[in-house]
C-alpha cells in the first residue's frame, strides 16, 4: 500500500484534543519518556519521591519538561513529547489510577469523568475531525 | 503437524489484572466484565491448547524508547511479569516454546517478514491480563506462550493489511512445524479507548460492534481500515485493534464466532472479546465443545 507520508502525518494532527505519538513528538520527548521509564524500579521510585527536583536534574530534559512533571500537568507533558504509557509510570508512582490521571487532562473532575464513562463514555460525534467539523 | 485451532480476541486493560489479583473480579463493577469470559474459561478447559501465540503490545515495559521493533517474537524459555510502576503482578512466570517460536521466526523471515527476535524480556499486562481473563488464577499457566509484540505506540504502527498478512504467514509457519501441537492465536488490546488529552474517555460502541461483526465471516475488509479511521472512530489507543487482525489473518479465509462479549466501561476502555474458529470445513474441534454449547455470536 503506497501512501503519501506528508498527507498521512497531516491527518494525524486533525483530531480534536489528541496528540498522536508521532516521530516528531517521540524525538522531542525522548528524555522525558526515558525518565518516566526509570520509575519502573522501587529503588528509583523512592529516590524520586524523596527529592523530585534533584532526580529530574539528573536527566537531560528541558526546563519546561521538568516543570510539567513537577506540576503533574499531563497535557503539557504530551505537548512536550511525553507518551501516556511512559507517563503512566509517574502516576503509578503517585499511587493514582490510570483513569484518575487521564481525567486530569479532560478538564473534568474525576467523579464527573467516572460518571461519563459509566454512562457509555465520550461520544465521537463532533470529535472526529477539526478540519471537517464532524 | 501443528495447527491453529482457534483465535481469541480480547481487551487487555491493566485494571482487569488488578481486579483479578485483588479478588474484585466478581464485584458490582467488574462482575459483568468477567462474566463474559466464563464461557471461554469452560471451553478452554476442554480445548486444552498446547501453545498460544499471544499478539500484544508492550506498554513501555520491556521496550523503552531505545529500541522500537515493529514486530518482535519471543523465542525465550521463560518470561517474568514486568514491574509497571506498582510492582510485578503476582501471577506465574510465562513459559515460552522456543522450538515453535524459532521455527515461526525463521519461517516468517523467509516469508519476507523481517522479525525482531527477543530472547529475554519481561511481559506486561498486555500479555498477562488476557491469560488471567482466559485461565483465572492457576498456580501455573496451563500452556506455553509465544509472545508476539507489535509496536502500536510510536507512529506509524504497521498497517492493518500488513498485520493480516503476517497472520497468514504465521498460519503457514505453524502448519509446517512437524510436532502435533494444538495452537491458538490471540489478538489483544482495544476496543475503543483514548487515554490522553481533552478527548480522553472516547468510546464508540457502534463502531466497535461493527468491527466485531466483521471479524467473523469470510470478508477481509477490516484489513483495509486506515490508521486515521481507528484514531477518529475508536480513539487514539483504539489503534491496538490492528493486533486483532494478525489473529484473524491466521485463521484463514473464513472464521465463525463461537462466543462474543462487549461491555462498557472498564476504566477508560470498551471491553471486547470474541472466540473464533477457522471455518474451513475441517472443524478443528478439540473437544466436542462446539457441539455441546450453543454458539452465541
Amino acid at each position: 500500500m503506497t501512501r503519501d507520508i506528508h498527507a498521512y502525518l497531516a491527518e494525524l494532527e486533525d483530531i480534536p484534543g489528541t496528540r498522536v505519538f508521532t516521530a516528531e513528538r517521540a524525538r522531542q520527548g525522548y528524555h522525558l519518556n526515558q525518565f518516566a521509564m526509570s520509575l519502573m524500579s522501587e529503588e528509583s521510585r523512592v529516590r524520586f519521591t524523596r527529592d523530585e527536583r534533584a532526580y529530574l536534574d539528573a536527566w537531560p530534559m528541558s526546563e519546561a519538561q521538568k516543570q510539567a512533571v513537577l506540576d503533574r500537568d499531563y497535557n503539557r507533558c504530551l505537548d512536550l513529547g511525553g507518551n501516556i504509557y511512559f507517563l503512566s509510570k509517574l502516576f503509578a508512582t503517585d499511587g493514582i489510577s490510570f483513569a484518575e490521571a487521564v481525567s486530569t487532562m479532560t478538564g473534568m473532575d474525576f467523579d464527573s469523568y467516572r460518571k461519563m464513562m459509566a454512562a457509555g463514555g465520550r461520544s465521537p460525534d463532533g470529535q472526529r475531525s477539526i478540519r471537517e467539523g464532524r | 503437524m501443528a495447527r491453529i485451532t482457534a483465535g481469541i480476541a480480547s481487551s487487555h486493560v491493566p485494571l482487569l489484572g488488578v481486579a483479578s489479583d485483588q479478588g474484585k473480579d466478581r464485584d458490582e463493577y467488574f462482575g459483568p466484565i468477567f462474566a463474559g469470559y466464563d464461557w471461554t474459561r469452560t471451553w478452554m478447559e476442554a480445548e486444552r491448547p498446547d501453545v498460544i501465540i499471544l499478539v500484544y503490545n508492550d506498554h513501555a515495559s520491556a521496550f523503552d524508547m531505545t529500541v522500537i521493533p515493529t514486530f518482535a517474537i519471543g523465542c525465550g524459555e521463560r518470561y517474568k511479569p514486568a514491574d509497571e510502576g506498582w510492582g510485578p503482578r503476582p501471577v506465574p512466570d510465562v513459559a515460552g516454546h522456543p522450538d515453535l517460536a524459532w521455527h515461526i521466526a525463521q519461517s516468517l523471515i523467509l516469508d519476507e517478514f523481517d522479525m525482531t527476535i527477543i530472547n529475554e524480556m519481561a511481559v506486561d499486562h498486555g500479555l498477562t491480563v488476557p491469560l488471567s481473563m482466559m485461565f483465572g488464577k492457576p498456580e501455573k499457566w496451563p500452556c506455553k506462550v509465544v509472545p508476539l509484540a507489535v509496536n502500536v505506540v510510536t507512529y506509524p504502527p504497521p498497517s492493518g493489511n500488513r498485520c493480516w498478512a503476517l497472520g497468514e504467514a504465521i498460519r503457514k509457519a505453524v502448519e509446517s512445524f512437524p510436532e502435533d501441537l494444538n495452537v491458538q492465536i490471540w489478538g489483544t488490546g482495544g476496543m475503543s479507548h483514548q487515554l490522553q488529552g481533552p478527548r480522553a474517555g472516547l468510546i464508540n460502541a457502534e463502531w466497535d460492534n461493527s468491527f466485531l461483526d466483521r471479524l467473523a465471516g469470510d470478508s477481509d475488509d477490516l484489513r483495509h481500515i486506515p490508521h486515521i479511521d481507528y484514531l477518529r472512530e475508536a480513539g487514539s489507543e483504539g489503534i491496538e485493534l490492528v493486533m486483532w487482525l494478525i489473529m484473524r489473518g491466521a485463521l484463514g479465509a473464513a472464521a465463525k464466532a463461537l462466543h462474543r462479549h462487549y461491555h462498557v466501561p472498564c476504566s477508560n476502555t470498551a471491553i471486547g472479546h470474541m472466540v473464533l474458529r477457522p471455518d474451513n470445513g475441517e472443524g478443528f474441534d478439540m473437544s466436542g465443545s462446539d457441539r455441546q454449547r450453543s454458539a452465541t455470536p
Side-chain angles (χ1 to χ4, degrees), chain B residues 218-230:
Chain B
D218 59 4
S219 165
D220 68 348
D221 67 334
L222 290 178
R223 70 196 293 171
H224 301 302
I225 299 174
H227 290 157
I228 190 69
D229 286 13
Y230 289 96

Side-chain angles (χ1 to χ4, degrees), chain B residues 185-243:
Chain B
I185 183 163
W186 298 4
T188 72
M191 296 190 84
S192 57
H193 63 307
Q194 173 148 339
L195 304 177
Q196 52 123 328
R199 189 178 181 250
L202 184 134
I203 298 285
N204 192 341
E206 189 182 342
W207 195 89
D208 287 343
N209 277 289
S210 163
F211 193 94
L212 288 169
D213 290 345
R214 293 184 286 163
L215 205 57
D218 59 4
S219 165
D220 68 348
D221 67 334
L222 290 178
R223 70 196 293 171
H224 301 302
I225 299 174
H227 290 157
I228 190 69
D229 286 13
Y230 289 96
L231 287 159
R232 291 197 203 285
E233 299 291 342
S236 52
E237 279 62 47
I239 190 66
E240 290 177 346
L241 287 168
V242 296
M243 295 186 291

Side-chain angles (χ1 to χ4, degrees), chain A residues 31-122:
Chain A
H31 293 294
L32 168 58
N33 290 319
Q34 293 297 75
F35 141 74
M37 194 75 191
S38 74
L39 300 175
M40 281 180 67
S41 82
E42 182 61 24
E43 185 269 329
S44 299
R45 293 193 285 269
V46 168
R47 215 153 40 79
F48 173 69
T49 309
R50 198 179 296 138
D51 187 342
E52 295 193 3
R53 181 77 222 190
Y55 191 96
L56 287 166
D57 281 341
W59 291 85
M61 294 159 58
S62 70
E63 184 54 36
Q65 287 173 329
K66 291 178 191 174
Q67 196 58 50
V69 169
L70 291 169
D71 295 343
R72 303 297 194 270
D73 184 341
Y74 289 111
N75 275 325
R76 184 90 180 114
C77 288
L78 294 174
D79 283 337
L80 298 170
N83 173 275
I84 198 63
Y85 292 124
F86 288 82
L87 297 173
S88 74
K89 318 302 178 195
L90 181 57
F91 47 79
T93 300
D94 287 340
I96 69 168
S97 71
F98 219 116
E100 185 172 355
V102 165
S103 73
T104 68
M105 292 180 268
T106 63
M108 305 168 81
D109 62 57
F110 185 35
D111 194 46
S112 307
Y113 181 80
R114 259 194 305 212
K115 283 185 180 139
M116 175 183 79
M117 294 315 297
R122 184 186 306 282

Side-chain angles (χ1 to χ4, degrees), chain A residues 16-28:
Chain A
T18 304
R19 288 87 155 176
V20 179
F21 195 58
T22 54
E24 187 181 348
R25 291 196 177 88
R27 291 175 64 182
Q28 184 190 7

